[in-house]
Amino acid sequence: MASVAIDGPAGAGKSTISRKVSEELGFIYVDTGALYRSIAYTLNGAGISNDDIVGIKNKLSETDINLCFIDGVQHVTVEGVDVTDKIRTPEVSMLASRYSAIPEVREY
């Protein structure tokens, strides 16, 4: 199975291009940024700071994050709750940058 990764700065059009290329090639589009935002949303909601590595590892070990497609649109669920809209705030985006730099988060 082939994979294509597109990386770049915020607002560069990565998601737009990725969705179009995925559709054209018949690939599944996965927004990894949504995964990092979901992790940040979850950890922040649990009161776990980005310097609490033990707390992060423990919370991630018990957290279920899933991507699903509803009518062709990707949605993200955390513990079965759709958080797609909640993870697109500026606050969560900033938190995602901090949490995503942590090796344990990237491994998850």
Side-chain angles (χ1 to χ4, degrees), residues 43-66:
L43 294 173
N44 186 59
I48 301 170
S49 69
N50 63 315
D51 60 356
D52 181 0
I53 302 303
V54 172
I56 289 169
K57 288 171 69 171
N58 289 338
K59 184 64 176 172
L60 289 178
S61 72
E62 63 187 36
T63 300
D64 184 36
I65 298 174
N66 287 293

Side-chain angles (χ1 to χ4, degrees), residues 31-41 92 95-96 99-100 105-106:
D31 179 359
T32 56
L35 295 174
Y36 288 122
R37 285 181 178 90
S38 298
I39 291 169
Y41 175 82
V92 173
L95 290 168
Y99 286 109
S100 67
V105 170
R106 295 189 78 76

Side-chain angles (χ1 to χ4, degrees), residues 9-99:
K14 298 177 303 293
S15 295
T16 301
I17 295 297
S18 297
R19 281 191 293 270
K20 289 180 180 182
V21 169
S22 296
E23 184 179 319
E24 185 71 26
L25 296 176
F27 286 8
I28 296 171
Y29 167 68
V30 177
D31 179 359
T32 56
L35 295 174
Y36 288 122
R37 285 181 178 90
S38 298
I39 291 169
Y41 175 82
T42 300
L43 294 173
N44 186 59
I48 301 170
S49 69
N50 63 315
D51 60 356
D52 181 0
I53 302 303
V54 172
I56 289 169
K57 288 171 69 171
N58 289 338
K59 184 64 176 172
L60 289 178
S61 72
E62 63 187 36
T63 300
D64 184 36
I65 298 174
N66 287 293
L67 297 176
C68 61
F69 291 86
I70 301 171
D71 295 327
V73 177
Q74 180 179 272
H75 286 255
V76 184
T77 63
V78 177
E79 303 304 327
V81 176
D82 191 330
V83 297
T84 303
D85 294 332
K86 294 177 182 177
I87 64 170
R88 296 295 176 180
T89 66
E91 177 190 13
V92 173
S93 292
M94 288 176 56
L95 290 168
S97 294
R98 289 186 213 141
Y99 286 109

